[in-house]
Amino acid sequence: MYQNLVNYRKPTSFQLKETYPLPPYSTVIGMVHAACGLTTYHPMKVSVQGSYHSRINDLWTRYEFSGAPYEEGRHSIKLVSRIDHKAYGAIKGVSTAELLVDVELLLHIMPEDETLVPLIEGALKSPPEYLSLGRREDIVVVEEVKTVNVTSQQLEEKKYLPYDAYIPVDMFLEEDIYMHSTIYQLNKVYKKIEIKKGVHIRQWEKVRVYHVSSGTWLEPETTIWADDDGYVLFLV
């Protein structure tokens, strides 16, 4: 897959919308479910790898709503509630978003129910509407979709990674892989929704991963999962 400009927003960033270097697992799983028209969660494992050319900052319109009553001179937008018919204030301003440029992605998707494989392949080749990954406007260009076989292998020599990748911290022993990395806690799926004071809260299942750069290598005699094209998978 290819994307021209994209933001995979970190949930804790607001004034500056920072981006992850690759899409989180939850974002990929959400795209797959949307493309297939699946309305309930179907368990699946995914492997996320990719690269980008550079980062830039772009301006975006930001709206702040605190629930305070509307005050002329303080708020730039007046919102009238359909419930209590009271006027509330919002502020319109400018903020900054961090964007990745010329993103190339290598995604592996392995549903727990293998009968879904043809559905996923067909949906990604001919989606019902345009696919996006990240923000709604971050359109995806699908360059290739195919079904591959995955096998367990033991490396006979060093294996260099052609792309950046998310690798679960417990997938390899320290002596199996040579890397310089950043550790992220990424969302995968949410377990339940709680309602607190009328607010919906998603309780996320998180995965602790290394983000490693292209050129990272796996040592000989390391056991890996690889596809027909020789790409190593880091399934979560």
Side-chain angles (χ1 to χ4, degrees):
M1 295 182 171
Y2 168 81
Q3 293 180 278
N4 177 221
L5 294 169
V6 60
N7 176 280
Y8 309 120
R9 180 174 171 265
K10 294 181 180 179
T12 54
S13 64
F14 293 96
Q15 186 63 40
L16 168 62
K17 280 188 179 179
E18 294 180 272
T19 179
Y20 287 114
L22 296 169
Y25 300 114
S26 58
T27 305
V28 175
I29 291 172
M31 179 194 68
V32 173
H33 279 65
C36 296
L38 301 174
T39 56
T40 58
Y41 175 59
H42 291 255
M44 58 183 60
K45 293 183 177 181
V46 293
S47 171
V48 179
Q49 301 178 65
S51 63
Y52 61 90
H53 183 267
S54 62
R55 295 179 187 237
I56 62 170
N57 287 343
D58 192 21
L59 297 178
W60 62 282
T61 303
R62 180 182 181 185
Y63 296 90
E64 290 186 3
F65 177 74
S66 63
Y70 173 77
E71 295 180 23
E72 189 174 354
R74 176 186 176 189
H75 297 112
S76 53
I77 300 175
K78 183 178 182 180
L79 304 170
V80 179
S81 171
R82 294 182 179 179
I83 299 174
D84 58 17
H85 305 293
K86 293 181 179 180
Y88 295 91
I91 298 174
K92 179 180 179 181
V94 176
S95 193
T96 307
E98 184 180 42
L99 302 180
L100 304 179
V101 181
D102 290 339
V103 176
E104 182 180 348
L105 296 174
L106 174 69
L107 305 178
H108 289 83
I109 302 158
M110 182 184 290
E112 188 174 286
D113 180 2
E114 291 188 5
T115 62
L116 291 175
V117 170
L119 173 64
I120 294 172
E121 182 178 7
L124 294 179
K125 286 182 176 179
S126 301
E129 63 174 3
Y130 75 88
L131 297 178
S132 61
L133 198 57
R135 304 168 300 176
R136 184 61 175 148
E137 62 266 34
D138 294 335
I139 298 174
V140 167
V141 177
V142 180
E143 296 184 336
E144 183 181 18
V145 182
K146 65 178 180 179
T147 300
V148 295
N149 295 308
V150 176
T151 57
S152 178
Q153 304 174 14
Q154 190 173 59
L155 295 176
E156 297 180 356
E157 56 185 17
K158 283 184 179 180
K159 177 73 173 181
Y160 291 87
L161 302 183
Y163 294 106
D164 293 8
Y166 287 144
I167 302 179
V169 295
D170 57 356
M171 181 167 282
F172 298 107
L173 299 175
E174 188 173 341
E175 59 267 23
D176 290 337
I177 184 169
Y178 180 84
M179 61 184 175
H180 297 286
S181 63
T182 301
I183 294 179
Y184 291 112
Q185 291 243 94
L186 300 179
N187 292 340
K188 184 180 178 185
V189 297
Y190 60 87
K191 300 177 182 179
K192 60 181 179 179
I193 297 180
E194 295 181 352
I195 301 178
K196 297 180 180 179
K197 296 182 180 179
V199 178
H200 293 264
I201 305 295
R202 291 184 176 183
Q203 303 294 330
W204 286 95
E205 171 192 328
K206 294 184 178 289
V207 183
R208 197 161 178 258
V209 300
Y210 296 115
H211 167 242
V212 303
S213 302
S214 60
T216 296
W217 71 76
L218 295 163
E219 295 289 350
E221 300 184 4
T222 301
T223 300
I224 61 165
W225 291 95
D227 67 12
D228 299 334
D229 297 322
Y231 290 114
V232 181
L233 283 69
F234 308 104
L235 292 165
V236 172

